[in-house]
Amino acid sequence: MTRRIPSGTGRSDRSRRIAAALLAMLACGAALVSCGSDSDNDSGTSVSPRPTAPDESSFAGEAPSALASEAASAIGSVQASASAATSSASAEASAFEASVSADTARAAAAAQAELKNVRGSGNARSEVAVTGLPRARTGGLLAVLVAITNKSDQQASYAVQIDFEDSDGKVVESRFVGAQDLEPGERAEPVAISREPVEPRLTSRLAKAQRY
């Protein structure tokens, strides 16, 4: 006598068998992947990761502006330093000229008046010596120290004319200094300062020296 198996029971067993087979296949696949990974590690072979594109959000795009700002700041600093140096030199020159002018303005006016009618080089050139002063001391101005020594045997006053000439020997400017009431053997050292620009360079020359 043949036993009939209910149709529902057969389908259920078949489903269970299929599910078990799928689970077995998945387990085997996982095992193979694991084995393959272990084998790669054991053999020393490394798997290079796939390169990824750079994260563009990390680039702010500010570098060029920052560099330009830094360069502009450096240029501004240099220009400010140059301007400060120029102002400093101008201030030094003004201070030097003011200190000299305060002592010699009256004597210079008297010397110019005295030499107005003197012809030739005067009677006291041998009593006058002219020495250029370093520009570092004069704020860049062309200035000369005029050493006047009374070599006579009596009190005397002196008038001196200093000419400033260009490279061709042309007189560009004349300055006057003087000394009043020097005793015999006494020495005075007024300073003659050119008011011409630093360039082109000029040279100084003793033009006249008069004792009176």
Side-chain angles (χ1 to χ4, degrees):
M1 180 175 181
T2 304
R3 178 184 298 179
R4 293 186 62 187
I5 300 174
S7 60
T9 302
R11 285 195 298 269
S12 176
D13 290 342
R14 188 166 51 251
S15 298
R16 283 196 293 271
R17 285 196 298 272
I18 293 172
L22 290 174
L23 289 175
M25 290 175 64
L26 291 174
C28 182
L32 289 174
V33 170
S34 176
C35 291
S37 174
D38 291 344
S39 176
D40 288 343
N41 290 338
D42 291 342
S43 63
T45 304
S46 60
V47 178
S48 300
R50 177 180 297 176
T52 57
D55 183 5
E56 295 182 357
S57 65
S58 66
F59 297 97
E62 296 294 333
S65 297
L67 290 175
S69 177
E70 185 176 352
S73 177
I75 292 173
S77 177
V78 171
Q79 291 176 338
S81 298
S83 177
T86 301
S87 298
S88 177
S90 178
E92 289 178 7
S94 297
F96 175 79
E97 188 170 11
S99 67
V100 171
S101 297
D103 296 333
T104 62
R106 232 179 293 176
Q112 185 173 7
E114 183 65 29
L115 291 172
K116 186 176 181 180
N117 297 317
V118 172
R119 297 195 178 188
S121 59
N123 61 10
R125 281 181 60 90
S126 63
E127 298 174 67
V128 177
V130 177
T131 305
L133 294 175
R135 290 180 186 263
R137 288 181 50 194
T138 66
L141 296 175
L142 173 58
V144 294
L145 180 70
V146 183
I148 304 170
T149 305
N150 183 359
K151 297 181 180 180
S152 69
D153 57 1
Q154 57 186 350
Q155 187 184 78
S157 295
Y158 291 82
V160 179
Q161 176 182 329
I162 302 296
D163 286 345
F164 293 98
E165 304 174 339
D166 61 17
S167 59
D168 295 326
K170 179 182 177 180
V171 176
V172 177
E173 180 185 22
S174 294
R175 302 289 285 167
F176 301 89
V177 296
Q180 302 293 316
D181 302 326
L182 293 183
E183 296 296 332
E186 189 177 0
R187 181 184 176 115
E189 295 182 337
V191 176
I193 305 173
S194 171
R195 292 178 179 172
E196 292 296 309
V198 176
E199 297 293 342
R201 295 267 176 158
L202 302 178
T203 57
S204 60
R205 180 176 68 86
L206 174 59
K208 294 181 181 182
Q210 182 73 12
R211 181 180 64 249
Y212 60 96

